[in-house]
Amino acid sequence: MKHADIEALVKKMNVDTAKGAVDQRVQEVVVRLLTDLFKAIEDLNLSQAEVWKGLEYLTDSGKANEMGLLAAGLGLEHFLDLRADEADEKAGLTGGTPRTIEGPLYVAGAPETVGFARMDDGSESDTVDTLFVEGSVRDTEGNIIEGAKVEIWHANSLGNYSFFDKTQSEFNLRRTICTDADGNYVAQTTMPVGYGCPPEGTTQALLNKLGRHGNRPSHIHYFISSPGYRKLTTQFNIEGDKYLWDDFAFATRDGLVATAVDVTDSAEIEKRGLQKPFKHIQFDVVLVKETDSAPTTEIERRRA
Ligand code: BEZ
Ligand code: FE
C-alpha cells in the first residue's frame, strides 16, 4: 500500500475531535504511531504471523513485568536522558552532575537517616568487601546543601535487588540519607555486582535474537532532591568492571565513573569500626536550581 493511502486510512480511524471527551494529545500520539507502524509493516513486508508474533511478545513482556527492562535494554530510557540533556542545554542549565537512567528496580519507602546509614543487613559481610560511599551535595556555585535527600539503592554480590529478590531482607541495600549540616552523606554497604537480565526472560530472549548480552556493570543508583533544586536521577558505574563501557542499558556516562579505592591502613580500618580492609568511593553531587524553562525532572512512572 502507498504511504499516502496509509495516511488516509489512519486518518479515517481518527476520532472526531469535536465529539465528546476526546483527549487530543492521546489522539495525536496514537495517529502518529499507527501511521509509522503501518508504514513499517508495509516497507518491511511483514507477514501476518510476524505482526501477531510482535503483539504476543509485548503481551508476554507485560505479563512478566519486563517492560521497564525492555525499555532500558532497547535504549529507550537512555534516549529520554539524551532528550532531557538537550532540553537542559537549550535552557542554559549547566554545571550539574550528569543524569542517567533510573532503571526498573527502585522501591519507595526505604529507611531514612541523617548523615550516615548502614545499607546492608550483614548477611554478606563475611564474604563480600565492605564499601564506604561518601560525598557532598552542593549547588552549582559550590554552596553546600544541608538536608538534601539522597536516595541510594544497589544490588548485592549476586547482582540482585531486594524486593525483587525475595531471599533478601526488606529494604536491604536501599536507604535514604539526608545530608548533614556540612552537606555530606556517608553510606556503609557492600560491593555490588552488576545486574544481569533474567536468562529465561522475555527481554533476554529478544537480546539473544539481536546478538546482544543483557549485563550491566557494577553500579549504585541515586535520586537526589532538595526543595528549590531539580531532582537528579543518576548512578555511578564502577571502574574495572568488564561491562563498564558495554552496559546493555547504555547508562555509563562520562562524569559517572567511580573508582573503588582499597583502604588497607589499620588506623582507617579501626576508625570505621571494621576488622578488615575495605573499599572507598567518593561521589560528590551538584544540583541545579529549579526552573520553569526546562521540563520537570520529577518523572511520573509506576514504581514498586
Ligand atoms: C539496573 O540498574 O539494575 C537496571 C537498569 C536497567 C534495566 C535493568 C536493570
Ligand atoms: Fe541497577
Side-chain angles (χ1 to χ4, degrees):
M1 195 186 282
K2 288 197 195 87
H3 281 193
D5 293 336
I6 288 174
E7 283 161 25
L9 177 68
V10 174
K11 275 215 186 87
K12 253 199 330 211
M13 294 166 181
N14 210 346
V15 183
D16 183 350
T17 49
K19 254 192 227 154
V22 170
D23 185 324
Q24 292 201 10
R25 179 63 174 165
V26 170
Q27 189 179 59
E28 176 188 22
V29 170
V30 169
V31 166
R32 171 60 193 265
L33 291 181
L34 274 183
T35 306
D36 289 354
L37 174 66
F38 289 7
K39 285 179 183 175
I41 291 171
E42 181 64 37
D43 294 350
L44 294 166
N45 193 25
L46 293 196
S47 69
Q48 292 206 19
E50 284 174 321
V51 171
W52 288 112
K53 190 106 189 143
L55 290 172
E56 285 153 14
Y57 178 78
L58 293 175
T59 304
D60 292 346
S61 172
K63 273 191 192 161
N65 201 16
E66 285 203 15
M67 279 297 208
L69 196 54
L70 187 65
L74 295 182
L76 173 59
E77 200 175 356
H78 177 58
F79 169 68
L80 296 178
D81 278 343
L82 297 178
R83 290 196 73 238
D85 288 353
E86 220 169 74
D88 283 356
E89 209 176 298
K90 263 195 209 144
L93 302 179
T94 55
T97 298
R99 61 165 57 80
T100 196
I101 69 163
E102 173 183 331
L105 304 172
Y106 170 80
V107 176
E112 194 170 316
T113 52
V114 176
F116 170 86
R118 176 157 178 187
M119 298 181 64
D120 67 299
D121 62 7
S123 58
E124 292 189 307
S125 42
D126 289 342
T127 49
V128 178
D129 281 334
T130 295
L131 169 68
F132 273 85
V133 187
E134 55 194 304
S136 61
V137 179
R138 293 175 184 271
D139 68 15
T140 51
E141 268 95 56
N143 303 303
I144 60 164
I145 304 176
E146 181 185 354
K149 213 167 143 179
V150 181
E151 295 181 76
I152 308 177
W153 71 102
H154 69 83
N156 67 3
S157 68
L158 299 173
N160 296 327
Y161 286 78
S162 64
F163 180 85
F164 302 94
D165 168 13
K166 297 299 183 197
T167 70
Q168 293 185 48
S169 62
E170 197 182 28
F171 293 116
N172 190 37
L173 311 177
R174 300 178 184 276
R175 288 294 182 275
T176 298
I177 308 174
C178 297
T179 52
D180 64 16
D182 297 320
N184 295 325
Y185 73 92
V186 181
Q188 177 181 344
T189 190
T190 47
M191 274 297 282
V193 163
Y195 171 93
C197 287
E200 304 307 324
T202 53
T203 304
Q204 189 59 58
L206 181 61
L207 291 172
N208 289 344
K209 288 198 185 285
L210 298 172
R212 292 184 47 202
H213 68 74
N215 298 106
R216 298 216 52 217
S218 175
H219 62 277
I220 294 187
H221 295 267
Y222 285 73
F223 282 156
I224 307 110
S225 54
S226 181
Y229 294 91
R230 286 163 74 69
K231 178 177 175 178
L232 176 66
T233 300
T234 195
Q235 59 181 265
F236 60 74
N237 292 266
I238 302 175
E239 183 82 66
D241 192 296
K242 76 172 193 171
Y243 294 111
L244 181 65
W245 293 107
D246 185 23
D247 176 4
F248 99 102
F250 311 98
T252 312
R253 309 192 74 179
D254 287 334
L256 296 177
V257 175
T259 306
V261 177
D262 286 307
V263 181
T264 54
D265 179 67
S266 53
E268 275 298 319
I269 292 169
E270 202 179 319
K271 204 171 90 186
R272 306 268 181 175
L274 301 177
Q275 274 81 47
K276 58 172 185 172
F278 64 95
K279 291 188 183 286
H280 181 269
I281 287 175
Q282 184 78 25
F283 187 64
D284 298 327
V285 172
V286 177
L287 294 185
V288 172
K289 288 236 160 69
E290 194 46 286
T291 173
D292 290 337
S293 59
T296 179
T297 53
E298 289 274 2
I299 311 300
E300 266 184 61
R301 62 184 274 188
R302 208 175 283 172
R303 297 182 173 92

